[in-house]
Amino acid sequence: MQSPRPILSMKRPKTPSAPPPSTPPTPQHRQSFTKLINPISSKRRNILQNPQPLPSAAAAIEWKPLKINKSELYLPLTFPTGQTFRWRNTGPLQYTGPIGPHLVSLKQLEGDDVGYFCHFTDSDETARINLFDFLNMGISLNEIWSVFKASDERFAELAMYLEGARVLRQDPLECLIQFICSSNNNIQRITKMVDFISSKGKFLGNVGGFDFFEFPTLDKLASVSEAELREAGFGYRAKYIVGTVAALQSKPGGGMEWLASLRKSDLQGAITGLSTLPGVGPKVAACVALFSLDQHHAIPVDTHVWQIATRYLIPELAGTTLTPRVCSRVADAFVSKYGKYAGWAQTLLFISELPSQKSILPSSLWNTVEKSEIKLQIEVHEIQETKENRRSKKKKNDS
């Protein structure tokens, strides 16, 4: 099997608002990830009271194995694929980012394991538990992919070369603000915006030349004015961020409690709730739901996902305009095909369509794809021709 290469993240363009798809029964409760964690020493290590720039050289880091194999987590197919904009590539197969008050590096080790290193934390035990939660390790990627592969030959082929592409479980506020920044935007600019907002939080350290911060609290965010954000280049998104922060603060019990409660809601309830916030449409809401709220069958529909659906799921929609109704049909098609973890399947299929992945997939698979696309084009033409004949026949009968 070829080993995947590090990839560049791709931003999904903005698409028209769409109503949430119909949903299957709420996914089962998450497995307890604490069962996956080996016993950890209760001894607290010394911490950095005043963190300074930290070494990024591999020799300076003693990696602790997470005992997670490549089929469950492959870092280059998880971090730079548009789920989060707060993690940086700080070395070969190494990614660094904040998880709450912890600054952590992850590295793909020899033998397919993943190692971690806490640059800054007040508790190794808490950092590791939070890391497992962030990596969504309460869900077995192998188990859900085995179901997908059994029912979808194309997914089975892709999974051979793109194993380990996980869906993260981010902090809801952090995820929400990031995807408001992503609206109709490009990767470079999104990253700068997210970095600016993150800098309002507590400084955690510098790794590989990048400064990292704990994400600011709602109160900290409330102190940032719309004028300050506009001056920093946020444009019209400035008013959305300020408005969303204010709306969250006005929620009963506090905005953080309200966001957390959406993890217990059904998908439609989560989408509807998030969509009441300024600057949050169905696509942004679906991203937040999938990447932070345990709504595993949320489908963020954009032009890329629509194209995937029309090639492999609903070819009769090829050539249509991406209206809210079409967006809903696309989301429903994914849920119908893949069930309660449809969002995880859609993530893999989306990654497989990135231009940077072409070198990972074997030519035989691409030849198959090209042939299938031609076949689908013929099928679409036949479907459209049949529809046209029916319309013509109906007009004749009506006249």
Side-chain angles (χ1 to χ4, degrees):
M1 180 189 301
Q2 285 182 313
S3 295
R5 305 175 186 176
I7 63 175
L8 298 175
S9 59
M10 294 292 290
K11 172 67 176 63
R12 306 182 188 186
K14 182 181 180 182
T15 56
S17 296
S22 59
T23 62
T26 302
Q28 297 176 353
H29 293 298
R30 292 161 45 81
Q31 302 172 34
S32 174
F33 58 83
T34 55
K35 295 179 180 179
L36 303 172
I37 305 175
N38 293 330
I40 303 171
S41 171
S42 59
K43 181 180 180 181
R44 295 176 181 269
R45 71 179 178 84
N46 293 331
I47 64 171
L48 296 174
Q49 298 296 334
N50 297 294
Q52 299 296 323
L54 303 168
S56 60
I61 294 179
E62 294 182 8
W63 299 102
K64 298 180 180 180
L66 285 175
K67 297 187 177 180
I68 301 171
N69 63 37
K70 183 179 174 182
S71 65
E72 284 289 343
L73 173 64
Y74 188 64
L75 303 177
L77 291 175
T78 299
F79 284 100
T81 53
Q83 294 189 57
T84 177
F85 304 94
R86 302 195 70 216
W87 284 66
R88 299 287 183 271
N89 186 189
T90 52
L93 297 179
Q94 176 183 323
Y95 294 84
T96 303
I99 301 175
H102 318 288
L103 179 58
V104 180
S105 280
L106 295 169
K107 185 177 177 63
Q108 210 78 40
L109 305 177
E110 294 182 7
D112 287 347
D113 197 358
V114 176
Y116 81 100
F117 179 82
C118 288
H119 300 279
F120 179 77
T121 183
D122 61 357
S123 169
D124 276 333
E125 181 176 0
T126 301
R128 193 166 190 234
I129 291 174
N130 290 353
L131 174 59
F132 268 71
D133 183 63
F134 174 75
L135 294 174
N136 233 339
M137 293 308 301
I139 295 172
S140 168
L141 193 64
N142 285 324
E143 287 182 9
I144 61 175
W145 275 24
S146 65
V147 176
F148 299 154
K149 289 187 285 188
S151 61
D152 185 343
E153 182 179 347
R154 173 170 169 74
F155 190 101
E157 290 180 297
L158 293 172
M160 292 174 61
Y161 303 94
L162 301 175
E163 63 179 356
R166 294 193 69 83
V167 170
L168 299 172
R169 189 178 193 248
Q170 302 176 60
D171 173 81
L173 176 63
E174 188 175 321
C175 189
L176 172 62
I177 298 300
Q178 288 184 84
F179 279 97
I180 291 177
C181 291
S182 76
S183 178
N184 195 29
N185 212 345
N186 60 64
I187 288 294
Q188 184 177 12
R189 195 171 176 213
I190 297 167
T191 302
K192 288 182 179 179
M193 290 179 180
V194 172
D195 284 348
F196 179 83
I197 291 177
S198 299
S199 70
K200 304 299 179 181
K202 176 185 176 182
F203 176 66
L204 298 178
N206 181 290
V207 179
F210 298 100
D211 287 339
F212 295 94
F213 300 83
E214 182 177 1
F215 200 76
T217 63
L218 265 178
D219 287 341
K220 283 275 190 180
L221 290 174
S223 69
V224 183
S225 67
E226 180 179 338
E228 186 178 356
L229 292 174
R230 286 187 178 275
E231 186 177 351
F234 281 67
Y236 65 85
R237 300 166 198 82
K239 67 178 180 181
Y240 292 149
I241 292 173
V242 171
T244 288
V245 170
L248 289 173
Q249 287 188 309
S250 69
K251 297 289 185 183
M256 298 304 295
E257 182 179 323
W258 179 79
L259 283 172
S261 72
L262 297 180
R263 285 178 168 170
K264 299 177 182 178
S265 173
D266 60 17
L267 176 57
Q268 184 170 348
I271 296 291
T272 300
L274 290 170
S275 296
T276 64
L277 301 173
V280 179
K283 188 225 169 173
V284 169
C287 288
V288 177
L290 177 61
F291 301 138
S292 72
L293 298 178
D294 300 337
Q295 303 291 343
H296 305 298
H297 54 289
I299 307 295
V301 179
D302 60 11
T303 54
H304 296 291
V305 175
W306 169 64
Q307 289 168 358
I308 293 170
T310 56
R311 279 198 291 267
Y312 309 114
L313 299 176
I314 40 177
E316 65 271 18
L317 290 185
T320 60
T321 302
L322 195 55
T323 62
R325 183 179 178 184
V326 170
C327 287
S328 183
R329 288 189 62 185
V330 168
D332 281 338
F334 275 97
V335 173
S336 177
K337 178 73 173 178
Y338 299 107
K340 65 183 181 181
Y341 288 102
W344 290 60
Q346 175 263 322
T347 297
L348 183 279
L349 296 175
F350 173 78
I351 291 172
S352 74
E353 297 289 322
L354 298 177
S356 51
Q357 299 311 304
K358 290 182 179 179
S359 60
I360 294 178
L361 303 176
S363 58
S364 59
L365 180 57
W366 279 105
N367 290 336
T368 301
V369 171
E370 291 169 0
K371 291 177 182 178
S372 68
E373 288 179 345
I374 293 174
K375 180 180 178 181
L376 284 173
Q377 289 174 3
I378 294 174
E379 291 177 355
V380 169
H381 177 73
E382 291 175 347
I383 291 171
Q384 291 174 339
E385 188 174 42
T386 299
K387 288 182 178 180
E388 185 61 34
N389 289 337
R390 287 177 180 174
R391 281 195 294 266
S392 299
K393 186 175 181 179
K394 187 177 184 300
K395 285 182 180 180
K396 289 181 179 180
N397 293 336
D398 291 342
S399 60

